[in-house]
PDB file of all heavy atoms in Angstrom:
ATOM      1  N   GLN A 166     123.773 139.628 228.017  1.00 95.00           N
ATOM      2  CA  GLN A 166     122.429 139.214 228.499  1.00 95.00           C
ATOM      3  C   GLN A 166     121.676 140.291 228.889  1.00 95.00           C
ATOM      4  O   GLN A 166     120.394 140.488 228.668  1.00 95.00           O
ATOM      5  CB  GLN A 166     122.608 138.158 229.488  1.00 95.00           C
ATOM      6  CG  GLN A 166     121.180 137.656 229.981  1.00 95.00           C
ATOM      7  CD  GLN A 166     121.399 136.493 231.077  1.00 95.00           C
ATOM      8  OE1 GLN A 166     122.164 136.686 231.893  1.00 95.00           O
ATOM      9  NE2 GLN A 166     120.605 135.495 231.029  1.00 95.00           N
ATOM     10  N   LYS A 167     122.178 141.217 229.660  1.00 95.00           N
ATOM     11  CA  LYS A 167     121.518 142.393 230.251  1.00 95.00           C
ATOM     12  C   LYS A 167     121.026 143.266 229.017  1.00 95.00           C
ATOM     13  O   LYS A 167     119.761 143.691 229.059  1.00 95.00           O
ATOM     14  CB  LYS A 167     122.390 143.195 231.137  1.00 95.00           C
ATOM     15  CG  LYS A 167     121.678 144.420 231.887  1.00 95.00           C
ATOM     16  CD  LYS A 167     122.711 145.108 232.839  1.00 95.00           C
ATOM     17  CE  LYS A 167     121.831 146.218 233.585  1.00 95.00           C
ATOM     18  NZ  LYS A 167     121.356 147.237 232.742  1.00 95.00           N
ATOM     19  N   ILE A 168     121.769 143.529 228.091  1.00 97.00           N
ATOM     20  CA  ILE A 168     121.384 144.340 227.038  1.00 97.00           C
ATOM     21  C   ILE A 168     120.404 143.694 226.092  1.00 97.00           C
ATOM     22  O   ILE A 168     119.332 144.331 225.788  1.00 97.00           O
ATOM     23  CB  ILE A 168     122.631 144.757 226.006  1.00 97.00           C
ATOM     24  CG1 ILE A 168     123.503 145.823 226.783  1.00 97.00           C
ATOM     25  CG2 ILE A 168     122.103 145.299 224.843  1.00 97.00           C
ATOM     26  CD1 ILE A 168     124.795 146.014 226.167  1.00 97.00           C
ATOM     27  N   ALA A 169     120.383 142.417 225.983  1.00 96.00           N
ATOM     28  CA  ALA A 169     119.380 141.570 225.255  1.00 96.00           C
ATOM     29  C   ALA A 169     118.055 141.745 225.993  1.00 96.00           C
ATOM     30  O   ALA A 169     117.022 141.987 225.249  1.00 96.00           O
ATOM     31  CB  ALA A 169     119.810 140.119 225.023  1.00 96.00           C
ATOM     32  N   HIS A 170     118.132 141.638 227.223  1.00 91.00           N
ATOM     33  CA  HIS A 170     116.908 141.562 228.000  1.00 91.00           C
ATOM     34  C   HIS A 170     116.247 142.943 227.915  1.00 91.00           C
ATOM     35  O   HIS A 170     115.039 143.072 227.968  1.00 91.00           O
ATOM     36  CB  HIS A 170     116.992 141.066 229.373  1.00 91.00           C
ATOM     37  CG  HIS A 170     117.149 139.620 229.440  1.00 91.00           C
ATOM     38  ND1 HIS A 170     117.397 138.844 230.528  1.00 91.00           N
ATOM     39  CD2 HIS A 170     116.984 138.649 228.512  1.00 91.00           C
ATOM     40  CE1 HIS A 170     117.432 137.549 230.359  1.00 91.00           C
ATOM     41  NE2 HIS A 170     117.099 137.368 229.125  1.00 91.00           N
ATOM     42  N   GLU A 171     117.067 144.041 228.082  1.00 92.00           N
ATOM     43  CA  GLU A 171     116.541 145.358 228.161  1.00 92.00           C
ATOM     44  C   GLU A 171     115.830 145.650 226.797  1.00 92.00           C
ATOM     45  O   GLU A 171     114.797 146.222 226.726  1.00 92.00           O
ATOM     46  CB  GLU A 171     117.624 146.465 228.239  1.00 92.00           C
ATOM     47  CG  GLU A 171     118.059 146.659 229.707  1.00 92.00           C
ATOM     48  CD  GLU A 171     118.963 147.755 229.820  1.00 92.00           C
ATOM     49  OE1 GLU A 171     118.527 148.937 229.508  1.00 92.00           O
ATOM     50  OE2 GLU A 171     120.165 147.668 230.168  1.00 92.00           O
ATOM     51  N   LEU A 172     116.415 145.117 225.630  1.00 94.00           N
ATOM     52  CA  LEU A 172     115.868 145.386 224.364  1.00 94.00           C
ATOM     53  C   LEU A 172     114.529 144.519 224.246  1.00 94.00           C
ATOM     54  O   LEU A 172     113.513 145.060 223.686  1.00 94.00           O
ATOM     55  CB  LEU A 172     116.788 144.863 223.234  1.00 94.00           C
ATOM     56  CG  LEU A 172     118.046 145.796 223.147  1.00 94.00           C
ATOM     57  CD1 LEU A 172     119.121 144.977 222.212  1.00 94.00           C
ATOM     58  CD2 LEU A 172     117.717 147.153 222.394  1.00 94.00           C
ATOM     59  N   LEU A 173     114.590 143.261 224.802  1.00 91.00           N
ATOM     60  CA  LEU A 173     113.298 142.512 224.616  1.00 91.00           C
ATOM     61  C   LEU A 173     112.074 143.252 225.593  1.00 91.00           C
ATOM     62  O   LEU A 173     110.964 143.167 225.072  1.00 91.00           O
ATOM     63  CB  LEU A 173     113.533 141.148 225.222  1.00 91.00           C
ATOM     64  CG  LEU A 173     114.432 140.249 224.328  1.00 91.00           C
ATOM     65  CD1 LEU A 173     114.638 138.930 224.996  1.00 91.00           C
ATOM     66  CD2 LEU A 173     113.870 140.014 222.886  1.00 91.00           C
ATOM     67  N   GLU A 174     112.529 143.718 226.641  1.00 85.00           N
ATOM     68  CA  GLU A 174     111.512 144.460 227.492  1.00 85.00           C
ATOM     69  C   GLU A 174     110.827 145.655 226.773  1.00 85.00           C
ATOM     70  O   GLU A 174     109.846 146.057 227.216  1.00 85.00           O
ATOM     71  CB  GLU A 174     112.169 144.779 228.838  1.00 85.00           C
ATOM     72  CG  GLU A 174     112.392 143.622 229.812  1.00 85.00           C
ATOM     73  CD  GLU A 174     113.068 144.094 231.090  1.00 85.00           C
ATOM     74  OE1 GLU A 174     113.746 145.107 231.085  1.00 85.00           O
ATOM     75  OE2 GLU A 174     113.014 143.274 232.012  1.00 85.00           O
ATOM     76  N   LYS A 175     111.662 146.146 225.844  1.00 88.00           N
ATOM     77  CA  LYS A 175     111.138 147.283 225.012  1.00 88.00           C
ATOM     78  C   LYS A 175     110.366 146.766 223.724  1.00 88.00           C
ATOM     79  O   LYS A 175     109.931 147.506 222.952  1.00 88.00           O
ATOM     80  CB  LYS A 175     112.221 148.167 224.524  1.00 88.00           C
ATOM     81  CG  LYS A 175     113.176 148.655 225.705  1.00 88.00           C
ATOM     82  CD  LYS A 175     112.442 149.562 226.666  1.00 88.00           C
ATOM     83  CE  LYS A 175     113.412 150.208 227.656  1.00 88.00           C
ATOM     84  NZ  LYS A 175     112.840 150.861 228.708  1.00 88.00           N
ATOM     85  N   ASN A 176     110.078 145.396 223.724  1.00 86.00           N
ATOM     86  CA  ASN A 176     109.328 144.782 222.697  1.00 86.00           C
ATOM     87  C   ASN A 176     110.165 144.674 221.286  1.00 86.00           C
ATOM     88  O   ASN A 176     109.549 144.546 220.246  1.00 86.00           O
ATOM     89  CB  ASN A 176     107.978 145.387 222.470  1.00 86.00           C
ATOM     90  CG  ASN A 176     107.173 145.226 223.738  1.00 86.00           C
ATOM     91  OD1 ASN A 176     107.332 144.332 224.602  1.00 86.00           O
ATOM     92  ND2 ASN A 176     106.119 146.128 223.924  1.00 86.00           N
ATOM     93  N   LEU A 177     111.441 144.960 221.312  1.00 93.00           N
ATOM     94  CA  LEU A 177     112.170 145.010 220.148  1.00 93.00           C
ATOM     95  C   LEU A 177     112.770 143.647 219.732  1.00 93.00           C
ATOM     96  O   LEU A 177     113.013 142.826 220.650  1.00 93.00           O
ATOM     97  CB  LEU A 177     113.360 145.974 220.295  1.00 93.00           C
ATOM     98  CG  LEU A 177     112.996 147.439 220.485  1.00 93.00           C
ATOM     99  CD1 LEU A 177     114.223 148.190 221.062  1.00 93.00           C
ATOM    100  CD2 LEU A 177     112.480 148.078 219.231  1.00 93.00           C
ATOM    101  N   TYR A 178     112.969 143.466 218.514  1.00 95.00           N
ATOM    102  CA  TYR A 178     113.748 142.166 218.072  1.00 95.00           C
ATOM    103  C   TYR A 178     115.154 142.495 218.275  1.00 95.00           C
ATOM    104  O   TYR A 178     115.595 143.740 218.118  1.00 95.00           O
ATOM    105  CB  TYR A 178     113.346 141.877 216.628  1.00 95.00           C
ATOM    106  CG  TYR A 178     112.138 141.034 216.478  1.00 95.00           C
ATOM    107  CD1 TYR A 178     110.902 141.634 216.536  1.00 95.00           C
ATOM    108  CD2 TYR A 178     112.181 139.621 216.369  1.00 95.00           C
ATOM    109  CE1 TYR A 178     109.708 140.829 216.402  1.00 95.00           C
ATOM    110  CE2 TYR A 178     111.140 138.918 216.286  1.00 95.00           C
ATOM    111  CZ  TYR A 178     109.859 139.509 216.236  1.00 95.00           C
ATOM    112  OH  TYR A 178     108.656 138.628 216.130  1.00 95.00           O
ATOM    113  N   VAL A 179     116.026 141.480 218.445  1.00 97.00           N
ATOM    114  CA  VAL A 179     117.397 141.669 218.559  1.00 97.00           C
ATOM    115  C   VAL A 179     118.109 140.717 217.448  1.00 97.00           C
ATOM    116  O   VAL A 179     118.070 139.471 217.559  1.00 97.00           O
ATOM    117  CB  VAL A 179     117.917 141.144 219.890  1.00 97.00           C
ATOM    118  CG1 VAL A 179     119.465 141.371 219.981  1.00 97.00           C
ATOM    119  CG2 VAL A 179     117.178 141.916 221.092  1.00 97.00           C
ATOM    120  N   PHE A 180     118.659 141.432 216.427  1.00 97.00           N
ATOM    121  CA  PHE A 180     119.288 140.745 215.280  1.00 97.00           C
ATOM    122  C   PHE A 180     120.740 140.828 215.463  1.00 97.00           C
ATOM    123  O   PHE A 180     121.344 141.912 215.685  1.00 97.00           O
ATOM    124  CB  PHE A 180     118.939 141.418 213.991  1.00 97.00           C
ATOM    125  CG  PHE A 180     117.498 141.374 213.663  1.00 97.00           C
ATOM    126  CD1 PHE A 180     116.937 142.334 212.813  1.00 97.00           C
ATOM    127  CD2 PHE A 180     116.640 140.395 214.131  1.00 97.00           C
ATOM    128  CE1 PHE A 180     115.585 142.328 212.369  1.00 97.00           C
ATOM    129  CE2 PHE A 180     115.291 140.328 213.662  1.00 97.00           C
ATOM    130  CZ  PHE A 180     114.688 141.298 212.880  1.00 97.00           C
ATOM    131  N   MET A 181     121.530 139.616 215.576  1.00 98.00           N
ATOM    132  CA  MET A 181     122.928 139.538 215.904  1.00 98.00           C
ATOM    133  C   MET A 181     123.804 139.143 214.788  1.00 98.00           C
ATOM    134  O   MET A 181     123.411 138.203 214.034  1.00 98.00           O
ATOM    135  CB  MET A 181     123.118 138.693 217.094  1.00 98.00           C
ATOM    136  CG  MET A 181     122.409 139.079 218.352  1.00 98.00           C
ATOM    137  SD  MET A 181     122.351 138.064 219.763  1.00 98.00           S
ATOM    138  CE  MET A 181     120.875 137.010 219.286  1.00 98.00           C
ATOM    139  N   HIS A 182     124.934 139.862 214.634  1.00 97.00           N
ATOM    140  CA  HIS A 182     125.787 139.701 213.396  1.00 97.00           C
ATOM    141  C   HIS A 182     127.245 139.896 213.858  1.00 97.00           C
ATOM    142  O   HIS A 182     127.549 140.568 214.944  1.00 97.00           O
ATOM    143  CB  HIS A 182     125.551 140.623 212.330  1.00 97.00           C
ATOM    144  CG  HIS A 182     124.081 140.911 212.103  1.00 97.00           C
ATOM    145  ND1 HIS A 182     123.232 140.469 211.223  1.00 97.00           N
ATOM    146  CD2 HIS A 182     123.305 141.971 212.737  1.00 97.00           C
ATOM    147  CE1 HIS A 182     122.066 140.881 211.179  1.00 97.00           C
ATOM    148  NE2 HIS A 182     122.024 141.835 212.188  1.00 97.00           N
ATOM    149  N   SER A 183     128.133 139.285 213.114  1.00 96.00           N
ATOM    150  CA  SER A 183     129.548 139.607 213.190  1.00 96.00           C
ATOM    151  C   SER A 183     130.248 139.268 214.573  1.00 96.00           C
ATOM    152  O   SER A 183     129.605 138.585 215.255  1.00 96.00           O
ATOM    153  CB  SER A 183     129.894 141.101 212.910  1.00 96.00           C
ATOM    154  OG  SER A 183     131.139 141.261 212.525  1.00 96.00           O
ATOM    155  N   ASP A 184     131.504 139.685 214.793  1.00 96.00           N
ATOM    156  CA  ASP A 184     132.179 139.329 215.889  1.00 96.00           C
ATOM    157  C   ASP A 184     133.098 140.427 216.409  1.00 96.00           C
ATOM    158  O   ASP A 184     133.384 141.339 215.591  1.00 96.00           O
ATOM    159  CB  ASP A 184     133.043 138.079 215.738  1.00 96.00           C
ATOM    160  CG  ASP A 184     134.178 138.348 214.783  1.00 96.00           C
ATOM    161  OD1 ASP A 184     133.932 138.345 213.572  1.00 96.00           O
ATOM    162  OD2 ASP A 184     135.316 138.473 215.364  1.00 96.00           O
ATOM    163  N   THR A 185     133.543 140.458 217.693  1.00 96.00           N
ATOM    164  CA  THR A 185     134.470 141.295 218.229  1.00 96.00           C
ATOM    165  C   THR A 185     135.693 140.526 218.700  1.00 96.00           C
ATOM    166  O   THR A 185     135.532 139.838 219.674  1.00 96.00           O
ATOM    167  CB  THR A 185     133.943 142.157 219.356  1.00 96.00           C
ATOM    168  OG1 THR A 185     132.740 142.977 218.808  1.00 96.00           O
ATOM    169  CG2 THR A 185     134.936 143.133 219.863  1.00 96.00           C
ATOM    170  N   GLY A 186     136.684 140.426 217.978  1.00 94.00           N
ATOM    171  CA  GLY A 186     137.906 139.757 218.354  1.00 94.00           C
ATOM    172  C   GLY A 186     137.586 138.268 218.434  1.00 94.00           C
ATOM    173  O   GLY A 186     138.066 137.568 219.282  1.00 94.00           O
ATOM    174  N   GLY A 187     136.649 137.791 217.499  1.00 95.00           N
ATOM    175  CA  GLY A 187     136.334 136.338 217.478  1.00 95.00           C
ATOM    176  C   GLY A 187     135.151 135.926 218.481  1.00 95.00           C
ATOM    177  O   GLY A 187     134.776 134.897 218.472  1.00 95.00           O
ATOM    178  N   VAL A 188     134.679 137.015 219.301  1.00 97.00           N
ATOM    179  CA  VAL A 188     133.629 136.696 220.170  1.00 97.00           C
ATOM    180  C   VAL A 188     132.275 137.213 219.557  1.00 97.00           C
ATOM    181  O   VAL A 188     132.238 138.300 219.051  1.00 97.00           O
ATOM    182  CB  VAL A 188     133.805 137.372 221.598  1.00 97.00           C
ATOM    183  CG1 VAL A 188     132.677 137.159 222.544  1.00 97.00           C
ATOM    184  CG2 VAL A 188     135.141 136.934 222.102  1.00 97.00           C
ATOM    185  N   ARG A 189     131.189 136.423 219.665  1.00 97.00           N
ATOM    186  CA  ARG A 189     129.969 136.751 219.039  1.00 97.00           C
ATOM    187  C   ARG A 189     128.832 136.839 220.132  1.00 97.00           C
ATOM    188  O   ARG A 189     128.861 136.008 220.965  1.00 97.00           O
ATOM    189  CB  ARG A 189     129.598 135.832 217.924  1.00 97.00           C
ATOM    190  CG  ARG A 189     130.629 135.846 216.761  1.00 97.00           C
ATOM    191  CD  ARG A 189     130.129 134.835 215.662  1.00 97.00           C
ATOM    192  NE  ARG A 189     131.066 134.962 214.525  1.00 97.00           N
ATOM    193  CZ  ARG A 189     132.204 134.429 214.338  1.00 97.00           C
ATOM    194  NH1 ARG A 189     132.646 133.475 215.278  1.00 97.00           N
ATOM    195  NH2 ARG A 189     132.951 134.580 213.352  1.00 97.00           N
ATOM    196  N   MET A 190     128.004 137.815 220.057  1.00 97.00           N
ATOM    197  CA  MET A 190     127.022 137.921 221.013  1.00 97.00           C
ATOM    198  C   MET A 190     126.040 136.794 221.159  1.00 97.00           C
ATOM    199  O   MET A 190     125.629 136.382 222.234  1.00 97.00           O
ATOM    200  CB  MET A 190     126.192 139.254 220.715  1.00 97.00           C
ATOM    201  CG  MET A 190     125.013 139.661 221.715  1.00 97.00           C
ATOM    202  SD  MET A 190     124.401 141.211 221.304  1.00 97.00           S
ATOM    203  CE  MET A 190     123.178 141.336 222.669  1.00 97.00           C
ATOM    204  N   ALA A 191     125.601 136.208 219.939  1.00 97.00           N
ATOM    205  CA  ALA A 191     124.743 135.084 220.076  1.00 97.00           C
ATOM    206  C   ALA A 191     125.321 133.842 220.800  1.00 97.00           C
ATOM    207  O   ALA A 191     124.691 133.153 221.568  1.00 97.00           O
ATOM    208  CB  ALA A 191     124.394 134.708 218.651  1.00 97.00           C
ATOM    209  N   GLU A 192     126.658 133.696 220.616  1.00 96.00           N
ATOM    210  CA  GLU A 192     127.317 132.548 221.285  1.00 96.00           C
ATOM    211  C   GLU A 192     127.509 132.874 222.763  1.00 96.00           C
ATOM    212  O   GLU A 192     127.383 132.004 223.651  1.00 96.00           O
ATOM    213  CB  GLU A 192     128.625 132.328 220.743  1.00 96.00           C
ATOM    214  CG  GLU A 192     128.491 131.896 219.282  1.00 96.00           C
ATOM    215  CD  GLU A 192     129.901 131.863 218.514  1.00 96.00           C
ATOM    216  OE1 GLU A 192     130.765 132.656 218.848  1.00 96.00           O
ATOM    217  OE2 GLU A 192     130.049 131.133 217.514  1.00 96.00           O
TER     218      GLU A 192
END
């Protein structure tokens, strides 16, 4: 959440893909 908000505060889009050990950022 912190990384996503930092990116949004920079006016960037956040595109999310794939998983790390079955865990996904969007989830």
Side-chain angles (χ1 to χ4, degrees):
Q166 184 180 39
K167 184 177 184 300
I168 288 174
H170 282 177
E171 277 190 67
L172 292 166
L173 292 179
E174 287 177 338
K175 308 296 185 185
N176 298 337
L177 298 163
Y178 276 80
V179 183
F180 296 156
M181 292 172 279
H182 322 264
S183 198
D184 69 281
T185 301
V188 179
R189 297 179 172 90
M190 183 174 177
E192 293 169 338

